[in-house]
């Protein structure tokens, strides 16, 4: 008959196997005994923290209130190439043969959706209120869990989300360490960042870098500059970091992301290629390079990158959606519909389903089946009633069908085009379509 394992050792085993709930419950049982069990306290706080842990380096979701009330804006109109609020229009190597869709901020859609991209942000206050809370992705761990104080800080900061008390604890710990502990300075900077005090956070991160040169601290400081809308300063910081940490993937990837935000797609693609030289399994780099090749009218090359992701085990709606488009434009029609069928099967929400039906509508237009295209765009609007591109394409199909002689049909086309213009006021094709529809109105 085997011996029962020691409870604290069993709790630690649960933690190592990422069974955080069992670990927390067992630690609670240990804490019901005699007081002073510091190891159980520390392990329980770590387990509770890991349940809700979010890597502060990657997570940078700008809230709707911060977009409306930006107190850090220095100039209303920034110089070209120096701001992320008004990205430039240069593609770096001339205009792309294919029309690349853009977000509401005017930035072209990339091949990888990150927490800080516009696609994940609510567009209005009502959308922000109705948006459900979702889990954020977890990447690299950047905390230090040695003493009870550090575990307690992480518990207060992540689990309780009490930034004020976490800042107070970090300030006391820094004072106790005689302002010589770089780790606590980074935690103070994180608290200031959460509170919107970006200049104070910048001072803490700079002070921490003087004491200890760390990649994570460079990434935190770059986040501050990006929130202050200083992408050139962030680029210089990343390049200085590469001088001290040659070949560091996170720094190269940070440079590529900034170039994407500034609409310099060709430079971003070059830096993503440098990322693959260091890590040939980097999902974001592979997806973004594949997307760049697709919109450069090279679907065959893009197909190779997306198949590589499939071989690596990436299995989601977005990947099969892209595979279907690449197969269609590469004239591999036998795989087109099967890829879209798999994408519909893997769609997790109505927005993803709408994207698949919209792309199927483009395939139907490409093969000349306008009735099928009409139904696909209608199904797109069933799943997402704010899909501006679908409204625009339905208006075009109404014109192609010859339904513009009747006032009612013409009005439906004009209404659809107006909805598209509301979402993308600067869309040239939509403006030309509205102009043509107004001419038809004048002839009736």
């Amino acid at each position: 008959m085997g011996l029962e394992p020691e409870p604290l050792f069993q709790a630690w085993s649960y933690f190592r196997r990422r069974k955080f709930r069992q670990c927390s419950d067992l630690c609670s049982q240990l804490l019901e005994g005699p007081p002073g069990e510091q190891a159980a306290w520390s392990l329980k706080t770590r387990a509770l923290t890991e349940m809700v842990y979010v890597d502060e380096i990657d997570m940078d979701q700008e809230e709707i209130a911060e977009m409306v009330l930006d107190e850090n804006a220095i100039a209303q109109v920034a110089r070209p190439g120096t701001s992320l609020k008004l990205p430039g229009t240069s593609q770096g190597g001339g205009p792309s043969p294919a029309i690349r869709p853009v977000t509401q901020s005017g930035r072209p859609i990339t091949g990888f959706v990150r927490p800080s991209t516009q696609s994940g942000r609510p567009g209005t206050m009502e959308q922000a209120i109705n948006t459900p809370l979702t889990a954020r992705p977890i990447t690299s761990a950047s905390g230090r869990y040695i003493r009870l104080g550090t575990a307690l800080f992480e518990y207060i900061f992540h689990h309780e989300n009490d930034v004020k008390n976490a800042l107070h604890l970090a300030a006391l710990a820094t004072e106790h360490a005689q302002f010589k502990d770089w780790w606590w300075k980074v935690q103070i900077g994180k608290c200031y960042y959460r509170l919107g005090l970006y200049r104070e956070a910048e001072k803490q991160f700079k002070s921490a870098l003087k004491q200890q040169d760390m990649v994570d601290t460079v990434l935190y400081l770059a986040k501050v500059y990006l929130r202050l809308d200083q992408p050139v300063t962030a680029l210089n910081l990343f390049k200085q970091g590469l001088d001290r940490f040659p070949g560091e993937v996170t720094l190269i990837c940070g440079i590529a992301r900034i170039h994407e935000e500034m609409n310099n797609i060709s430079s971003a693609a070059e830096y993503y290629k440098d990322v693959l030289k260091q890590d040939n399994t980097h999902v974001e780099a592979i997806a973004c390079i594949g997307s760049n090749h697709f919109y450069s009218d090279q679907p065959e090359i893009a197909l190779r990158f997306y198949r590589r992701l499939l071989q690596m085990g990436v299995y989601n709606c977005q990947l099969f959606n892209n595979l279907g488009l690449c197969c269609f434009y590469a004239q591999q029609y036998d795989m087109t519909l099967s890829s879209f069928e798999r994408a519909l099967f893997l769609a997790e929400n109505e927005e993803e389903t709408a994207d698949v039906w919209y792309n199927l509508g483009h395939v139907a237009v490409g093969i000349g089946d306008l009735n099928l295209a009409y139904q696909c765009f209608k199904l797109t609007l069933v799943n997402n009633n704010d899909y501006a591109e679908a409204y625009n394409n339905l208006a075009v199909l109404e014109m192609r069908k010859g339904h513009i002689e009747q006032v009612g049909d013409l009005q439906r086309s004009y209404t659809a085009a107006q909805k598209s213009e509301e979402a993308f006021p600067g869309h040239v094709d939509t403006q030309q379509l509205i102009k043509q529809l107004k001419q038809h109105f004048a002839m009736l």
Side-chain angles (χ1 to χ4, degrees), residues 100 109-114 253 260 265 268-269 272-273 275-276 279-295 301-310 312 314 316 318-320 322-323 326:
R100 190 165 192 166
I109 294 177
T110 61
F112 195 85
V113 178
R114 292 180 289 270
C253 190
E260 276 187 343
I265 306 299
Y272 277 126
K273 290 178 182 178
V275 171
L276 291 183
D279 180 9
N280 57 8
T281 61
H282 198 279
V283 175
E284 179 179 347
I286 296 174
C288 289
I289 292 176
S291 176
N292 185 54
H293 281 297
F294 177 80
Y295 289 111
I301 301 178
L303 189 60
R304 293 168 53 189
F305 284 93
Y306 290 130
R307 282 178 174 171
R308 172 62 177 162
L309 290 177
L310 194 61
M312 289 168 52
V314 180
N316 54 32
Q318 293 84 357
L319 178 57
F320 280 99
N322 293 341
L323 282 171
C326 289

Side-chain angles (χ1 to χ4, degrees), residues 400-417:
R400 286 193 178 183
K401 285 183 177 181
H403 289 175
I404 58 175
E405 288 80 7
Q406 300 180 10
V407 178
D409 295 327
L410 184 59
Q411 184 63 43
R412 285 199 300 270
S413 300
Y414 187 71
T415 302

Side-chain angles (χ1 to χ4, degrees), residues 224-257:
V224 172
Y225 289 134
L226 291 177
R227 185 53 65 92
L228 292 172
D229 195 19
Q230 298 179 6
V232 177
T233 306
L235 281 175
N236 294 331
L237 178 65
F238 279 134
K239 292 176 181 178
Q240 293 172 7
L242 285 175
D243 293 337
R244 302 190 297 270
F245 303 97
E248 175 60 40
V249 171
T250 54
L251 299 179
I252 303 175
C253 190
I255 296 176
R257 290 179 180 180

Side-chain angles (χ1 to χ4, degrees), residues 292-364:
N292 185 54
H293 281 297
F294 177 80
Y295 289 111
S296 298
D297 204 13
Q298 297 174 326
E300 298 87 356
I301 301 178
L303 189 60
R304 293 168 53 189
F305 284 93
Y306 290 130
R307 282 178 174 171
R308 172 62 177 162
L309 290 177
L310 194 61
Q311 293 170 353
M312 289 168 52
V314 180
Y315 197 79
N316 54 32
C317 171
Q318 293 84 357
L319 178 57
F320 280 99
N321 196 1
N322 293 341
L323 282 171
L325 284 175
C326 289
C327 289
F328 176 73
Y329 286 106
Q331 300 181 3
Q332 298 186 16
Y333 303 117
D334 55 334
M335 293 292 296
T336 301
L337 291 181
S338 61
S339 297
F340 283 124
E341 287 177 357
R342 189 61 57 86
L344 286 173
F345 177 76
L346 295 173
E348 297 180 353
N349 50 56
E350 292 181 345
E351 286 75 14
E352 293 181 358
T353 305
D355 288 336
V356 179
W357 282 117
Y358 176 75
N359 289 326
L360 277 170
H362 270 290
V363 172

Side-chain angles (χ1 to χ4, degrees), residues 86-388:
L86 297 172
T89 58
S90 173
Q91 295 287 337
S96 176
I99 298 176
R100 190 165 192 166
V102 296
T103 63
Q104 292 180 354
S105 64
R107 185 174 63 84
I109 294 177
T110 61
F112 195 85
V113 178
R114 292 180 289 270
S116 60
T117 55
Q118 182 70 25
S119 58
R121 299 176 183 172
T124 63
M125 187 68 72
E126 290 77 10
Q127 292 177 4
I129 295 174
N130 296 327
T131 301
L133 295 176
T134 57
R136 267 74 173 260
I138 296 176
T139 55
S140 60
S142 57
R144 181 183 62 172
Y145 306 97
I146 299 177
R147 300 181 300 273
L148 179 61
T150 61
L152 182 59
F153 171 84
E154 296 287 347
Y155 171 78
I156 297 174
F157 187 80
H158 290 287
H159 189 273
E160 297 298 319
N161 198 24
D162 191 347
V163 182
K164 182 179 179 181
N165 282 328
L167 177 60
H168 183 62
L169 173 62
L172 291 176
T174 304
E175 184 178 357
H176 179 73
Q178 299 179 352
F179 305 96
K180 296 180 180 179
D181 194 327
W182 66 271
W183 190 85
W184 283 112
K185 291 184 178 181
V186 171
Q187 309 317 307
I188 294 176
K190 288 165 60 177
C191 293
Y192 280 139
Y193 183 87
R194 280 275 192 97
L195 294 173
L197 303 173
Y198 303 123
R199 289 301 181 185
E200 288 77 4
E202 177 190 9
K203 295 177 182 177
Q204 295 295 328
F205 291 141
K206 282 185 174 180
S207 179
L209 278 175
K210 290 180 181 179
Q211 291 183 346
Q212 182 70 37
D213 205 0
M214 297 290 293
V215 175
D216 284 3
T217 311
V218 174
L219 296 173
Y220 284 128
L221 185 56
K223 279 182 57 179
V224 172
Y225 289 134
L226 291 177
R227 185 53 65 92
L228 292 172
D229 195 19
Q230 298 179 6
V232 177
T233 306
L235 281 175
N236 294 331
L237 178 65
F238 279 134
K239 292 176 181 178
Q240 293 172 7
L242 285 175
D243 293 337
R244 302 190 297 270
F245 303 97
E248 175 60 40
V249 171
T250 54
L251 299 179
I252 303 175
C253 190
I255 296 176
R257 290 179 180 180
I258 294 177
H259 280 294
E260 276 187 343
E261 293 284 341
M262 298 177 69
N263 203 1
N264 194 352
I265 306 299
S266 59
S267 296
E270 292 300 323
Y271 278 104
Y272 277 126
K273 290 178 182 178
D274 292 338
V275 171
L276 291 183
K277 292 177 182 178
Q278 304 295 330
D279 180 9
N280 57 8
T281 61
H282 198 279
V283 175
E284 179 179 347
I286 296 174
C288 289
I289 292 176
S291 176
N292 185 54
H293 281 297
F294 177 80
Y295 289 111
S296 298
D297 204 13
Q298 297 174 326
E300 298 87 356
I301 301 178
L303 189 60
R304 293 168 53 189
F305 284 93
Y306 290 130
R307 282 178 174 171
R308 172 62 177 162
L309 290 177
L310 194 61
Q311 293 170 353
M312 289 168 52
V314 180
Y315 197 79
N316 54 32
C317 171
Q318 293 84 357
L319 178 57
F320 280 99
N321 196 1
N322 293 341
L323 282 171
L325 284 175
C326 289
C327 289
F328 176 73
Y329 286 106
Q331 300 181 3
Q332 298 186 16
Y333 303 117
D334 55 334
M335 293 292 296
T336 301
L337 291 181
S338 61
S339 297
F340 283 124
E341 287 177 357
R342 189 61 57 86
L344 286 173
F345 177 76
L346 295 173
E348 297 180 353
N349 50 56
E350 292 181 345
E351 286 75 14
E352 293 181 358
T353 305
D355 288 336
V356 179
W357 282 117
Y358 176 75
N359 289 326
L360 277 170
H362 270 290
V363 172
V365 171
I367 62 178
D369 193 341
L370 299 185
N371 291 326
L372 176 60
Y374 190 87
Q375 294 299 322
C376 289
F377 291 135
K378 281 289 187 180
L379 287 171
T380 302
L381 296 176
V382 168
N383 290 277
N384 185 0
N385 196 35
D386 295 327
Y387 215 107

Side-chain angles (χ1 to χ4, degrees), residues 373-378 381 388-400 412-413 416 433:
Y374 190 87
Q375 294 299 322
C376 289
F377 291 135
K378 281 289 187 180
L381 296 176
E389 295 88 346
Y391 283 115
N392 182 81
N393 292 351
L394 282 174
V396 175
L397 289 178
E398 290 286 351
M399 294 184 64
R400 286 193 178 183
R412 285 199 300 270
S413 300
L433 178 61

